[in-house]
Amino acid sequence: MELLHDRADRNCVNGARAIRLAIAVAMVVAAGLLAASAFATSRSEKTLPSLDRQVLAAVNRFRVAHGLVALRESSALDRSARRHSLEMGRLGYFGHASADGTVFWRRIRHYYGVAHYSYWSVGENLLWAAPSVSARGAMKMWIASPEHLANLRSTRWRQIGISAVHSVRAPGVFHGLRVTIITTDFGVRR
């Protein structure tokens, strides 16, 4: 028996193979998207408003115990701190400058403006710990650092913004660990 193949038959076979290949590729792409989505979810950052309040209370207890005024929470400084904590957790870096190189005071100024004020000044304390840190632990770390302690004890500050963020799988300098990042922005304007 002789099999005859003409061009049309080959196209049908090739067409069927193309359909199977397209289905296989679609399945691989779908699996990749699901995996990427799961990875992104597992690396997501979550704000910790309860820890924010505890850090605010701890900072103010420390300041009052040292004869300083308690700081008022500023929603503008909170927004600046939140943006920075989330960005560090999402992009995997740790530092006062933003990921694009913007110095910390310019980032803060974007939220905590200088218009209509004759005096404006800001400072910042950062920390990260794996997997978490308490307000008491944060204060211990800052008190042990001369630069951070100077911010805590400064007579200049009148307002504060705090943002604690937990990242399940923080990339970059955090090596995929579960971390808690806290940004505390201090400010005064008058």
Side-chain angles (χ1 to χ4, degrees):
M1 179 162 144
E2 184 177 347
L3 292 175
L4 298 175
H5 297 281
D6 65 19
R7 192 149 181 79
D9 287 337
R10 279 193 295 260
N11 285 340
C12 288
V13 171
N14 288 341
R17 283 185 184 156
I19 290 172
R20 284 194 302 267
L21 179 62
I23 291 171
V25 167
M27 290 173 62
V28 168
V29 168
L33 289 174
L34 286 174
S37 174
F39 180 72
T41 299
S42 67
R43 215 177 73 194
S44 65
E45 296 74 39
K46 180 176 93 171
T47 59
L48 304 170
S50 176
L51 183 55
D52 294 348
R53 288 188 298 275
Q54 292 167 13
V55 169
L56 174 61
V59 166
N60 279 334
R61 274 193 307 274
F62 177 85
R63 288 179 61 83
V64 169
H66 288 87
L68 302 166
V69 299
L71 301 176
R72 290 184 331 272
E73 187 172 14
S74 160
S75 61
L77 290 171
D78 281 343
R79 284 191 304 277
S80 173
R82 186 176 317 109
R83 175 185 174 249
H84 196 54
S85 289
L86 287 168
E87 182 179 84
M88 287 189 293
R90 188 179 71 252
L91 299 179
Y93 74 94
F94 184 75
H96 291 284
S98 297
D100 66 1
T102 302
V103 293
F104 83 94
W105 62 268
R106 284 188 190 266
R107 171 182 37 83
I108 295 171
R109 186 177 66 186
H110 177 77
Y111 297 92
Y112 188 72
V114 299
H116 311 295
Y117 296 97
S118 61
Y119 181 79
W120 180 93
S121 183
V122 293
E124 182 169 78
N125 282 359
L126 303 175
L127 70 82
W128 73 273
S132 63
V133 66
S134 65
R136 181 179 170 156
M139 290 300 293
K140 282 183 177 182
M141 285 189 249
W142 286 330
I143 290 167
S145 161
E147 295 85 6
H148 294 100
L149 179 60
N151 269 338
L152 291 171
R153 296 185 85 175
S154 176
T155 58
R156 163 179 26 183
W157 310 134
R158 293 295 178 261
Q159 295 181 306
I160 189 171
I162 301 166
S163 178
V165 169
H166 183 73
S167 183
V168 176
R169 250 194 206 161
V173 299
F174 307 113
H175 306 288
L177 296 172
R178 289 176 174 263
V179 298
T180 300
I181 302 164
I182 302 177
T183 300
T184 304
D185 288 338
F186 301 91
V188 61
R189 53 188 181 182
R190 49 179 180 254

